[in-house]
Amino acid sequence: MMITCVYFCAGGVGFLYILYRWVIPATVRQALVLMWHDVILEMLMDRITGSTRPQRILRAVKMNAARGNPCSVVKAIDDYCKHKEWAMNVGDEKGCIVDSVVSEVKPTTVLELGTYCAYSTVRIANLLPPNAKFITLEFNTDYAAIAREVINWAGFQDKIQLVEGASGEWIPRLKEEFGVETFDFIFLDHWKDRYLPDTKLLEASIHATSCNAESVTNSPNKCVYIISEMWTSERRHRFAGRQCHLPWNS
């Protein structure tokens, strides 16, 4: 009876794996993985620890990163998300792509839509010149509170302007509120359904020319570079061969 039960369970697991690996479309698999990590496991961890995921990330930063050292902040978040708990950060692999583009473009005015826990915020800010203007928008007030602490821990409180509110409301006000005529670099990492409307709103509000990720290395014209988490695998592959020779990778 026990052997039969084991065979039955093994067969069921094998059947589910076949469904997941070869029958269910890739987009659905990605959605299932995201649901597992970003809903089920997060709710379970929140219940067990009595804290939220952003709070746990902040705790990891304060425990493992040196205050005023942005490289150690990035590494602390990478280590936590790699070994402890998945989070919706850019991560080190795609972070290398962002690093490469920022280093190539050398922007002095930067806009980020979607701060979350300030992982990409700190990562980008660390590559900017001292006189750069960096504005990051976050809609969720709880995320913004955590992000502000992470930014302060990295020592970038005077370099980064964190703005709380909806992108659709703030984008038309950027020029008036911050005196920014255009941006050299724009990073989209917020709600996916806001990418297109916010891109159009940016073009209308700051009169900028938008370039997609594929044209970053080929365009001879100075323009605004817009990078998003919605890159296709082909576009990511164009940058995958680039090596990161940056402080947190040494």
Side-chain angles (χ1 to χ4, degrees):
M1 183 67 179
M2 179 67 69
I3 295 177
T4 303
C5 183
V6 170
Y7 281 142
F8 179 79
C9 291
V13 170
F15 177 71
L16 290 175
Y17 177 78
I18 291 172
L19 281 178
Y20 177 80
R21 187 68 180 81
W22 287 290
V23 178
I24 300 175
T27 52
V28 176
R29 293 203 305 269
Q30 291 172 358
L32 290 174
V33 171
L34 183 62
M35 181 182 297
W36 171 253
H37 285 289
D38 211 29
V39 178
I40 299 173
L41 283 183
E42 183 173 8
M43 289 176 61
L44 184 61
M45 287 293 292
D46 289 355
R47 181 66 63 87
I48 293 173
T49 64
S51 61
T52 65
R53 179 177 288 166
Q55 289 172 339
R56 294 189 290 275
I57 290 175
L58 176 61
R59 188 180 303 121
V61 167
K62 290 184 174 181
M63 288 178 60
N64 301 294
R67 182 183 285 274
N69 186 332
C71 297
S72 68
V73 170
V74 169
K75 187 177 185 303
I77 297 177
D78 274 334
D79 289 345
Y80 181 82
C81 295
K82 186 180 297 182
H83 302 295
K84 299 291 186 181
E85 184 179 9
W86 180 92
M88 55 180 181
N89 293 316
V90 172
D92 192 46
E93 183 179 347
K94 286 178 284 186
C96 267
I97 300 173
V98 177
D99 295 342
S100 183
V101 178
V102 172
S103 298
E104 180 178 309
V105 176
K106 296 179 175 60
T108 57
T109 52
V110 176
L111 174 66
E112 177 185 49
L113 302 183
T115 316
Y116 188 46
C117 294
Y119 172 86
S120 56
T121 314
V122 171
R123 188 159 189 146
I124 292 171
N126 197 48
L127 300 175
L128 300 180
N131 63 333
K133 181 183 287 289
F134 190 170
I135 300 170
T136 179
L137 300 182
E138 176 53 55
F139 176 74
N140 187 301
T141 55
D142 293 332
Y143 293 168
I146 297 295
R148 187 168 283 108
E149 289 200 53
V150 172
I151 290 169
N152 291 345
W153 196 268
F156 284 151
Q157 60 271 19
D158 296 326
K159 191 172 187 176
I160 299 168
Q161 177 74 49
L162 193 157
V163 180
E164 296 181 35
S167 55
E169 297 176 2
W170 269 103
I171 288 174
R173 299 166 52 191
L174 290 174
K175 183 177 179 180
E176 177 185 353
E177 295 286 340
F178 302 102
V180 180
E181 296 289 338
T182 187
F183 288 97
D184 301 322
F185 183 88
I186 299 174
F187 185 70
L188 306 184
D189 193 20
H190 57 331
W191 293 104
K192 307 309 184 242
D193 58 356
R194 290 298 311 173
Y195 283 4
L196 182 58
D198 281 349
T199 299
K200 291 181 176 179
L201 195 56
L202 281 163
E203 291 177 337
S205 301
I206 63 176
H207 309 291
T209 303
S210 301
C211 298
N212 60 31
E214 190 174 20
S215 65
V216 167
T217 58
N218 298 329
S219 174
N221 303 316
K222 185 174 182 180
C223 54
V224 173
Y225 296 96
I226 298 183
I227 302 182
S228 77
E229 286 278 42
M230 296 289 283
W231 287 355
T232 63
S233 58
E234 290 183 21
R235 285 174 175 168
R236 285 177 181 164
H237 183 70
R238 290 171 58 88
F239 294 92
R242 296 189 180 188
Q243 295 183 349
C244 278
H245 300 291
L246 295 160
W248 40 78
N249 300 104
S250 58

